[in-house]
Amino acid sequence: SIVKNTVKNNNIFSGRPSQSFPVSAFVSEEMSSSALRKSSVNEKLSSLRGGKSDINFALSVIPTIAVTLSFTAVMTTLLRPLDSAVAQGTKLVFAGAVAGIISRSFCAPLEMVSTVMMCKGDECISMVDELERTWKEEGLRGMFKGNGANCLKVAPSRGSQFFFYELLKKKLVLMGWGIGATASLNAGSRLLAGGLAGMAAACIVYPLEVVKTMLTLYPGQCRTIPQAFKLILKNGGVAGLYRGLPPTLIAMFPYVGFEFMVYETMKNRFETAFGPAGVAALLLIGAISGAAAQASAHPLDVIRRRMQMQNMGKGDDEKEKSPKQFSNMFTGLYRVAKDEGWHVLFHGLGPACFEKVPSTAIGYFIYEAMKVTLMVSSV
């Protein structure tokens, strides 16, 4: 009996493990636990590497910010006492450029996700999901990818828009066209001046718009502005720098026109009723004008960005496919609506408005402050 019990209790050492001590389950559990610990360690190491990369990126942009602020302060001091016609025009361009850079940089992550959602359509689940994916895969740098090119574009673009807008308003006043009952320009004349100003500015800076889109969508292929230019020229030649310009020009008329019209009309009516607009009023009016502008031209904006990406597939990565080919804006609108659904033409409208509303509000507030500082007036 003793021998029998001893053999029974020591079956673990035989070829038949006892059911009361499952060796395979024990080994499997230990291996699983080891794998989990290893995975946890890898995640922590990856997190540390990502954190270090984010810190390096933040430190790398500090000199650029310092130089930009110093340049802005010096130029403001030099331009302020000047009063010639050329100086007044330069002040408008400078004020618009400063306002554009600050406002767009403040909202760069939303600008980035809006661009991605417009170009990829239903591949993107939601704005929050795309932001989380970018943060996880690319860190802080990914949230601001394309912002350098965007600032290079928006500085002359926004400056040119304000310059041409003020110039056209003065021409309309001299012609006596579009004068309202209050002896100032009516909403229609402001829409016309703003629309034409937007189209003129777009022609000047359009290649940088294409570069910004490339940096946003293909960060693996082009991490710098020169690399983006090289990739565009390689795939589409010089014409690639202007692909999508026609829908851009058409979209710019309502986009910029509505923005200027809504902003100045609401601002004038507010000041007539309540006196000079304060900070809160300027921010609110700017936000409303930005939302109106974005909603008025968003489908054309989607097609414009899709056309920018034609023939721009990565090539080395088969998973990345070139966007569908559109011969013109109207074909693009029809094919996207037919093949992907009308809703895709409004993909990215949410983040675009989220970006446009604060961006426009901040931009107009800074522009008004710069006008006061530089002692420049407008019609």
Side-chain angles (χ1 to χ4, degrees), residues 44-308:
K44 289 180 180 180
L45 290 174
S46 178
S47 177
L48 289 173
R49 287 193 295 268
K52 185 177 180 180
S53 176
D54 291 341
I55 293 173
N56 290 337
F57 172 72
L59 292 175
S60 70
V61 299
I62 289 177
T64 303
I65 295 174
V67 170
T68 303
L69 292 176
S70 300
F71 176 77
T72 301
V74 171
M75 286 298 296
T76 301
T77 303
L78 294 175
L79 289 172
R80 180 181 169 83
L82 304 179
D83 196 35
S84 66
V86 174
Q88 292 294 314
T90 304
K91 288 179 180 181
L92 288 171
V93 173
F94 181 65
V98 171
I101 290 174
I102 295 175
S103 61
R104 292 302 175 87
S105 296
F106 187 85
C107 303
L110 293 173
E111 169 85 6
M112 177 275 299
V113 75
S114 171
T115 299
V116 172
M117 290 184 72
M118 281 190 281
C119 291
K120 293 190 176 181
D122 283 335
E123 293 180 32
C124 300
I125 299 174
S126 68
M127 178 183 69
V128 175
D129 181 77
E130 190 63 31
L131 285 170
E132 289 179 349
R133 184 197 64 78
T134 302
W135 177 260
K136 182 179 179 180
E137 295 180 2
E138 303 175 49
L140 185 62
R141 180 185 292 274
M143 303 298 282
F144 286 87
K145 60 186 176 184
N147 188 55
N150 199 25
C151 287
L152 285 178
K153 180 211 75 167
V154 79
S157 173
R158 203 63 174 149
S160 300
Q161 284 177 11
F162 281 111
F163 171 76
F164 285 122
Y165 180 59
E166 296 293 342
L167 178 65
L168 289 169
K169 284 197 301 179
K170 291 179 179 179
K171 295 293 183 183
L172 290 175
V173 170
L174 291 175
M175 293 168 56
W177 194 88
I179 304 299
T182 59
S184 63
L185 292 174
N186 58 30
S189 60
R190 295 182 189 279
L191 173 64
L192 175 63
L196 294 176
M199 295 174 74
C203 291
I204 295 173
V205 300
Y206 189 76
L208 287 171
E209 172 69 23
V210 180
V211 168
K212 188 267 292 186
T213 305
M214 292 294 294
L215 288 169
T216 302
L217 291 181
Y218 299 144
Q221 284 287 97
C222 43
R223 295 179 62 86
T224 65
I225 293 173
Q227 289 177 354
F229 268 113
K230 184 178 179 180
L231 182 62
I232 294 168
L233 293 173
K234 177 182 177 182
N235 287 278
V238 176
L241 293 170
Y242 293 92
R243 186 172 285 113
L245 180 59
T248 297
L249 295 178
I250 295 173
M252 280 298 106
F253 189 91
Y255 187 84
V256 181
F258 269 103
E259 181 186 309
F260 279 125
M261 179 193 73
V262 172
Y263 176 78
E264 290 211 333
T265 301
M266 290 186 67
K267 179 173 176 283
N268 289 343
R269 293 189 178 184
F270 180 91
E271 293 182 339
T272 300
F274 305 104
V279 175
L282 288 175
L283 290 173
L284 178 61
I285 294 170
I288 294 172
S289 66
Q294 186 63 47
S296 68
H298 192 76
L300 293 174
D301 204 20
V302 172
I303 300 304
R304 170 173 69 93
R305 295 187 188 278
R306 294 283 187 100
M307 291 183 71
Q308 288 173 358

Side-chain angles (χ1 to χ4, degrees), residues 290-335:
Q294 186 63 47
S296 68
H298 192 76
L300 293 174
D301 204 20
V302 172
I303 300 304
R304 170 173 69 93
R305 295 187 188 278
R306 294 283 187 100
M307 291 183 71
Q308 288 173 358
M309 293 299 98
Q310 290 184 169
N311 300 321
M312 295 295 174
K314 286 187 176 181
D316 296 333
D317 189 353
E318 295 298 329
K319 295 181 180 179
E320 293 286 347
K321 298 179 180 179
S322 296
K324 295 179 180 178
Q325 303 293 299
F326 306 136
S327 59
N328 56 63
M329 177 190 67
F330 300 105
T331 300
L333 287 169
Y334 173 75
R335 287 187 58 186

